[in-house]
Amino acid sequence: NAIAVLKKYHLEVPDFSRWFDAYDYNVVVFAIEMFCHFRQTEATDHFDKLLQHAYEEVRISVIKAIGEMGLKEYSIRLIPVFNDEHEHIQVLILQTMGKLEDLSLLNFLSDLVLFNSSMKIRMEAAKALINIGPQGLTRMQTLLLKQDSDIRYIYHQIIG
C-alpha cells in the first residue's frame, strides 16, 4: 500500500493534486484519497472541477473527501451538484452536508424534508439537518408542526 511505502522509506509526501487531471479515472480517485488522507488542503480549489467529472467514482471520492476534511466552504457548492446527481450520490452529498454542520444549509435541508418525493432523501436530509446542531434540531421540531405524518415518521425514526 502506498501509505506504508511512504512511511517505511521516509519518503516525502508528494502533492497528490498533480494527478487530478490524469487520464485514468482510477488514478484520479487514488490521488483524491491520498490528498484527503494527508490533509493536503492547499489545493482543494480543484474540487470544484472534480465535482463535475465525467466518472461517478471521481465525484463520489471528492464528495467523501469534502466531508472527511470538513471543508465547510463546499456546503453551498454541493447544492447544484445535488440537483444534478442520481439518488445514491444525493444520499452521499446529504451525509457529507451533515458532517459539515453548516447553518447555511438549514433552508435547503428543510425543503428536502418537506418536499422531496423520495422518502430516502427526506430521511437523509432530516439526519443532516439534525447533525447541524441545536438549530437543526429546532428546525426539525418546527417541521413537525406541519402535522405531516411522513415528517412525524421521519422524526421518530431518527430521534427514536
Side-chain angles (χ1 to χ4, degrees), residues 94-108:
L94 291 171
Q95 291 166 347
T96 295
M97 287 176 169
K99 289 179 183 178
L100 297 177
E101 301 176 0
D102 189 346
L103 291 174
S104 67
L105 294 171
L106 282 174
N107 291 334
F108 173 72

Side-chain angles (χ1 to χ4, degrees), residues 46-89:
H46 293 297
F47 282 7
D48 286 312
K49 182 179 175 188
L50 293 171
L51 285 168
Q52 305 302 321
H53 201 278
Y55 285 93
E56 184 176 282
E57 294 86 347
V58 171
R59 297 191 311 272
I60 288 171
S61 290
V62 172
I63 294 164
K64 286 179 180 178
I66 289 168
E68 290 172 26
M69 295 173 77
L71 301 176
K72 216 176 213 181
E73 64 270 22
Y74 274 89
S75 297
I76 298 300
R77 295 184 206 172
L78 287 172
I79 293 173
V81 175
F82 177 90
N83 293 325
D84 292 336
E85 286 293 356
H86 299 287
E87 185 177 68
H88 67 283
I89 297 179

Side-chain angles (χ1 to χ4, degrees), residues 3-72:
I3 297 169
V5 171
L6 287 170
K7 288 180 180 178
K8 181 178 180 181
Y9 295 105
H10 306 290
L11 298 173
E12 186 176 322
V13 177
D15 175 7
F16 286 101
S17 68
R18 68 180 173 190
W19 290 292
F20 286 172
D21 291 327
Y23 178 76
D24 183 345
Y25 78 89
N26 290 302
V27 172
V28 180
V29 168
F30 175 77
I32 293 166
E33 290 171 359
M34 293 297 99
F35 184 86
C36 180
H37 178 80
F38 290 105
R39 303 281 188 214
Q40 296 181 335
T41 56
E42 60 281 346
T44 56
D45 54 318
H46 293 297
F47 282 7
D48 286 312
K49 182 179 175 188
L50 293 171
L51 285 168
Q52 305 302 321
H53 201 278
Y55 285 93
E56 184 176 282
E57 294 86 347
V58 171
R59 297 191 311 272
I60 288 171
S61 290
V62 172
I63 294 164
K64 286 179 180 178
I66 289 168
E68 290 172 26
M69 295 173 77
L71 301 176
K72 216 176 213 181

Side-chain angles (χ1 to χ4, degrees), residues 96-151:
T96 295
M97 287 176 169
K99 289 179 183 178
L100 297 177
E101 301 176 0
D102 189 346
L103 291 174
S104 67
L105 294 171
L106 282 174
N107 291 334
F108 173 72
L109 294 171
S110 298
D111 287 348
L112 289 177
V113 172
L114 287 171
F115 305 118
N116 197 280
S117 60
S118 165
M119 184 56 87
K120 188 174 192 174
I121 294 297
R122 293 176 80 185
M123 190 76 75
E124 288 298 328
K127 288 177 190 175
L129 191 58
I130 290 168
N131 285 339
I132 286 176
Q135 295 94 332
L137 180 59
T138 300
R139 177 67 65 94
M140 191 63 205
Q141 290 167 337
T142 302
L143 296 180
L144 277 172
L145 300 174
K146 299 278 184 201
Q147 297 300 316
D148 181 313
S149 61
D150 286 345
I151 294 175

